[in-house]
Amino acid sequence: MVVNADNKQVKTIAVVGGGSSGWMTACLLNARLNEDPRRPVTITLIEAPNIPVIGVGEATVPSIRRTLKAIGISEKAFMIGADATFKSLIRFEDWNKGEHFDHPFDRRERPNSDPAVLSWLARNQMGGEGFSNRFSVLSNTSTKGLAPKALGWPEYQSTFPYAYHLDAVKLGKVLTEFGTENGIAHKLAKIVNVEISEAGDIEALVSEDGASYRADLYVDCTGFSAHLAKHIMPETQDYSEHLLCDRAVTMSVPYEVHRPDRILPYTSAKALGAGWLWDINLRSRRSLGYVHSSAHLSSDEAEAELRVIEGRHADNIEVKHIRFKTYKRNKSWHRNCLAIGLADGFVEPLESTGLYMMQFAAQSVADILRFNRHFDAATTNQFNKLMQTLFDEILGYVALHYLTSKRRDTPFWKDATASHRTPAALQNLLKEWKKRPPHDVDLLSNHRLFSLESYEYLLFGMGYMSEGQINAAPVVFDQTDMLNKVYAKFPEHEDWLSSTLGHIK
Ligand SMILES: Cc1cc2nc3c(=O)[nH]c(=O)nc-3n(C[C@H](O)[C@H](O)[C@H](O)COP(=O)(O)OP(=O)(O)OC[C@H]3O[C@@H](n4cnc5c(N)ncnc54)[C@H](O)[C@@H]3O)c2cc1C
């Protein structure tokens, strides 16, 4: 019900789109807004039966645990249903002179300018893989192929933060079942017309079969087509000057076809001639994707390269070619239309941030509406700032992987590492980090996805270090005792999965 032109009350929400963003948003809003049965909000999810979901989105960050818990689904049911495994870190290979380095999720409580870190820097001014080995437990457990938690520990809990690898299509099914059982109305209908009032609000959605859908708030989760948002807030910003990749060729290799030696508890991101390759191990299959730049490599060439890397056992496996763009909608929320997921923006999946952005958006909307179910222009302006800040942070952090690499061996790497590709917010920082290590003062936003440690793992892993000599007193930081305790408790990743979830094919 519209209270006045600028102040709206929300009793009904229509979420359009049945991909991960649609179902994640609908389930989160349902769980958070319908906690209080005296003020129910009716949530309807409308999804086109014939438009497929994008079907990728397999690596996550640790906040997914909080989201799934808030939705109310059990970890075991989710992991079985979504073919999920654990993810403790991302291992970057060949981003710099053949060495690998890790971006693990564990963070040590420690002061800025930690004497142990300075002491390590004074001795290792070339950087490299040693930093995460020295300072992260998960980097060590991952190398040994261990799970990030012990058997029998409570759901969603461990002493270390962890995330999952999952099958995005199966996650959608898990959430569909859970959401519909918990009161979300599910309609299979393709929206073909968006009726807009003179003031610029959506008045109704009309489907192919002539049905009309009305709500107080409309959430556009229709993916890159942004079927609602393109009418209400069409302006978008293209960020492809900062990140060159715009295609992915993906392949699924079932374990019946080829079984790796171990089911890795981490995402592998290996740099190739015109981009990078993800290798993600789920419970029943491996997922591979060559993310590349179409200006430097054709889709056919990328597929051929992927097939050579994977080997003859994949000869009969079909691949999927996906086009994407690095972009952000100028407004994520305008009047009674809100865009979440690919409809709002996208940054290549190097740091697994797609699902995070939608969880963050849905969670924030739930927090905003929970109090009095109202929104107005001030609400939407504030939300838009929040989403732009998050996007800028993610864009900058992902761009850093290219900007700090020393690779110049192909036209792609020469182009991707060029200094004019640096986002404005990083231009001074990259100069500063050549003089001194990164510090919390460099990272301003309150809503940071990437902590100071994330910047350290990346910059020191890449060998992007202070050029002058660092003088620091020697400090011994020894995690041997901690590691030995963890090794004694945490089982092999595969053992955890089969003991807790059942047999792995
Ligand atoms: C190559 C690639 C790799 C990725 N990897 C990761 C990753 O590892 N980790 C991660 O977190 N994220 C990743 N992402 C992002 C992730 O895939 C998406 O964020 C996520 O799947 C959400 O997609 P979506 O729901 O917004 O859109 P989609 O999955 O495209 O869903 C769109 C939905 O809208 C419906 N629809 C469309 N038009 C209409 C209409 N007119 N009427 C009704 N319904 C309609 C469709 O039927 C569909 O249900 C990746 C993305 C790409 C491109």
Side-chain angles (χ1 to χ4, degrees):
M1 186 192 78
V2 177
V3 172
N4 66 44
D6 190 38
N7 185 349
K8 302 190 174 72
Q9 195 183 23
V10 178
K11 289 184 177 168
T12 53
I13 299 176
V15 176
V16 184
S20 336
S21 62
W23 279 108
M24 194 88 92
T25 301
C27 287
L28 252 176
L29 293 177
N30 191 37
R32 300 297 303 281
L33 299 181
N34 286 324
E35 268 167 351
D36 178 355
R38 290 167 307 171
R39 298 188 302 151
V41 174
T42 304
I43 297 174
T44 305
L45 186 140
I46 306 160
E47 122 182 60
N50 303 326
I51 305 178
V53 299
I54 194 152
V56 278
E58 280 147 331
T60 57
V61 296
S63 63
I64 182 103
R65 295 185 350 261
R66 202 172 57 231
T67 301
L68 293 167
K69 203 172 169 195
I71 287 174
I73 195 163
S74 96
E75 184 175 49
K76 185 171 174 181
F78 147 73
M79 288 188 81
I80 292 173
D83 205 19
T85 60
F86 287 130
K87 172 182 170 189
S88 298
L89 52 86
I90 306 173
R91 181 155 290 178
F92 293 92
E93 287 173 64
D94 292 345
W95 285 76
N96 229 6
K97 297 188 173 168
E99 269 187 353
H100 82 253
F101 68 92
D102 292 343
H103 177 194
F105 293 135
D106 51 333
R107 297 165 182 184
R108 230 157 34 87
E109 283 300 313
R110 59 173 190 74
N112 265 303
S113 307
D114 181 348
V117 171
L118 294 180
S119 164
W120 183 90
L121 285 174
R123 277 178 291 116
N124 297 278
Q125 285 204 284
M126 298 305 288
E129 62 189 282
F131 184 74
S132 58
N133 275 349
R134 169 68 68 182
F135 290 101
S136 155
V137 170
L138 290 180
S139 200
N140 289 277
T141 57
S142 294
T143 300
K144 283 185 172 292
L146 305 184
K149 69 192 278 188
L151 282 167
W153 280 10
E155 295 215 318
Y156 297 119
Q157 286 179 37
S158 174
T159 33
F160 301 99
Y162 64 89
Y164 309 100
H165 300 124
L166 54 85
D167 179 320
V169 176
K170 290 186 176 167
L171 171 69
K173 291 191 178 132
V174 170
L175 293 177
T176 308
E177 203 176 305
F178 186 83
T180 48
E181 273 169 15
N182 285 279
I184 296 172
H186 185 198
K187 308 281 179 199
L188 288 175
K190 180 179 173 188
I191 300 301
V192 288
N193 195 13
V194 180
E195 291 178 359
I196 300 168
S197 73
E198 266 182 32
D201 285 300
I202 298 180
E203 273 186 337
L205 304 175
V206 181
S207 63
E208 212 168 27
D209 56 8
S212 180
Y213 298 88
R214 288 174 193 276
D216 299 318
L217 180 64
Y218 297 85
V219 189
D220 184 346
C221 295
T222 59
F224 284 127
S225 70
H227 206 70
L228 278 52
K230 71 181 177 198
H231 299 291
I232 304 296
M233 43 211 188
E235 295 82 17
T236 60
Q237 176 81 36
D238 181 347
Y239 290 91
S240 50
E241 68 188 282
H242 303 299
L243 293 172
L244 300 180
C245 292
D246 57 357
R247 299 278 190 280
V249 51
T250 68
M251 177 190 273
S252 278
V253 185
Y255 291 152
E256 295 97 71
V257 173
H258 178 73
R259 185 80 149 80
D261 296 340
R262 62 151 52 164
I263 296 183
L264 300 178
Y266 58 84
T267 303
S268 161
K270 186 178 168 61
L272 299 177
W276 58 277
L277 174 71
W278 80 66
D279 186 345
I280 288 174
N281 298 188
L282 303 179
R283 281 182 73 225
S284 67
R285 63 178 174 91
R286 267 166 68 237
S287 156
L288 304 167
Y290 185 1
V291 176
H292 59 279
S293 152
S294 60
H296 299 85
L297 194 75
S298 71
S299 296
D300 288 349
E301 288 167 329
E303 176 178 340
E305 198 175 333
L306 177 60
R307 289 194 179 281
V308 169
I309 291 169
E310 187 52 14
R312 299 307 305 264
H313 61 254
D315 278 358
N316 296 323
I317 294 181
E318 282 190 14
V319 297
K320 206 162 124 183
H321 291 277
I322 299 171
R323 290 164 174 251
F324 61 83
K325 50 191 175 188
T326 307
Y327 89 107
K328 168 84 181 72
R329 199 160 291 284
N330 293 9
K331 291 179 179 170
S332 305
W333 190 351
H334 184 55
R335 304 202 68 93
N336 63 352
C337 178
L338 173 65
I340 292 186
L342 299 176
D344 184 41
F346 184 63
V347 175
E348 67 178 61
L350 187 56
E351 284 284 343
S352 326
T353 43
L355 295 164
Y356 175 79
M357 282 183 78
M358 74 178 76
Q359 290 164 63
F360 180 82
Q363 184 68 50
S364 305
V365 173
D367 288 340
I368 289 165
L369 295 181
R370 236 176 133 201
F371 179 59
N372 61 9
R373 311 278 197 260
H374 278 269
F375 69 90
D376 58 19
T379 319
T380 58
N381 287 344
Q382 186 57 31
F383 180 81
N384 291 335
K385 275 190 203 147
L386 194 64
M387 291 310 295
Q388 186 67 48
T389 307
L390 175 66
F391 181 89
D392 290 343
E393 183 197 359
I394 291 172
L395 177 81
Y397 189 72
V398 171
L400 264 187
H401 294 68
Y402 295 98
L403 296 168
T404 57
S405 167
K406 297 190 187 75
R407 280 189 72 151
R408 302 287 185 273
D409 52 313
T410 63
F412 170 81
W413 283 100
K414 285 187 189 125
D415 205 352
T417 53
S419 59
H420 68 267
R421 306 218 167 272
T422 312
L426 283 176
Q427 282 166 5
N428 284 334
L429 287 174
L430 279 171
K431 289 181 195 147
E432 283 296 290
W433 294 335
K434 277 283 176 199
K435 292 182 266 175
R436 60 166 175 81
H439 187 280
D440 255 336
V441 293
D442 303 329
L443 311 168
L444 290 174
S445 156
N446 286 333
H447 298 280
R448 267 187 0 222
L449 168 58
F450 300 110
S451 67
L452 176 64
E453 282 85 347
S454 293
Y455 285 84
E456 289 176 340
Y457 287 128
L458 173 54
L459 295 172
F460 304 159
M462 284 283 194
Y464 193 91
M465 318 280 281
S466 318
E467 278 166 351
Q469 181 60 42
I470 292 179
N471 294 312
V475 174
V476 179
F477 175 73
D478 187 357
Q479 36 177 20
T480 313
D481 283 352
M482 165 69 103
L483 286 175
N484 286 337
K485 278 187 203 145
V486 170
Y487 294 159
K489 255 193 202 152
F490 288 10
E492 287 266 345
H493 184 212
E494 196 162 333
D495 290 344
W496 193 99
L497 297 171
S498 51
S499 316
T500 311
L501 310 176
H503 177 63
I504 293 186
K505 289 148 229 165

